[in-house]
Amino acid sequence: TSLAAAGVSREQIDTVLLTHLHFDHAGGLTRKREDNTLELEFPNAEIIVQRGEWETARANWPELRGVYSQENLNPLADSGNLRLIEGDVEILPGVRTLVTGGHTEFHQAIVIERGGETLVYLGDICPTHWHLPTAWCIGYDLFQLQTRRMKLKLLPEIASSNWWALFDHDPKYAAARLTLDERDEPAIGEAVVQL
């Protein structure tokens, strides 16, 4: 619906870059046909994810079955559309990945540089503005110490560079420029409110 409102069809999407493969991030990669089988939502898109994330998602470990939907990943595995990358990679001019770990072992943020602005899509390393304090992690983080270490490094860099932080689960803010408070913890500066 959102793509149609922008005059774009799902067939026109040529690149999908994922932070990780949990169901709430990768579940939209597929859609049900009339016969209830699944097909790729973006049939002409290259789907890009870290190799280690793909391997973890496909391992089908019992303790992670609730977060990785094999049903949604199977059409991708069979499609030829999957591109597995390793480490920090420039995907397109001005678009690069930054492996953060923490939430999952191979979770990645997405850095977008365009027109003199830099935006950092944080994924689930910092899913809402309430998770800006270093010690605040989410229960789904597999490696909370790594999440905290990455936030200690990345969030002050975002603040000092005057970049935009993009939140994916925040009901209040879509994006914000960050500042550091009196304890040197990241805080909201200028913000873009969710519509």
Side-chain angles (χ1 to χ4, degrees), residues 162-177:
N162 201 34
W163 296 343
W164 287 96
L166 306 179
F167 304 108
D168 67 353
H169 289 292
D170 199 310
K172 185 173 182 179
Y173 300 121
R177 293 193 193 271

Side-chain angles (χ1 to χ4, degrees), residues 2 16 18 23-24 39 49 71 81 87 93 101 115 117 121 128 134-135 137 140 148 150-151 169 180 190 194:
S2 297
V16 174
L18 298 162
F23 69 92
D24 58 325
E39 66 180 353
V49 69
E71 178 186 37
N81 293 37
E117 292 280 5
Y121 179 67
T128 74
T134 304
C137 298
Y140 278 107
R148 290 176 181 181
M150 182 51 70
K151 286 166 60 177
H169 289 292
L180 298 178
E190 177 186 357
Q194 291 279 17

Side-chain angles (χ1 to χ4, degrees), residues 1-13 41-42:
T1 303
S2 297
L3 288 174
V8 177
S9 73
R10 65 189 191 91
E11 291 81 11
Q12 290 175 289
I13 302 299
E41 179 68 33
F42 308 109

Side-chain angles (χ1 to χ4, degrees), residues 11-66:
E11 291 81 11
Q12 290 175 289
I13 302 299
D14 60 12
T15 306
V16 174
L17 182 54
L18 298 162
T19 58
H20 61 299
L21 292 169
H22 284 175
F23 69 92
D24 58 325
H25 290 259
L29 291 175
T30 57
R31 61 186 280 142
K32 282 194 177 180
R33 297 184 182 114
E34 289 183 21
D35 65 359
N36 281 336
T37 61
L38 292 175
E39 66 180 353
L40 290 182
E41 179 68 33
F42 308 109
N44 301 315
E46 180 178 58
I47 311 297
I48 304 170
V49 69
Q50 289 289 324
R51 177 178 303 281
E53 179 68 13
W54 177 256
E55 290 169 356
T56 299
R58 297 299 282 174
N60 208 18
W61 295 330
E63 60 273 14
L64 295 178
R65 281 194 193 131

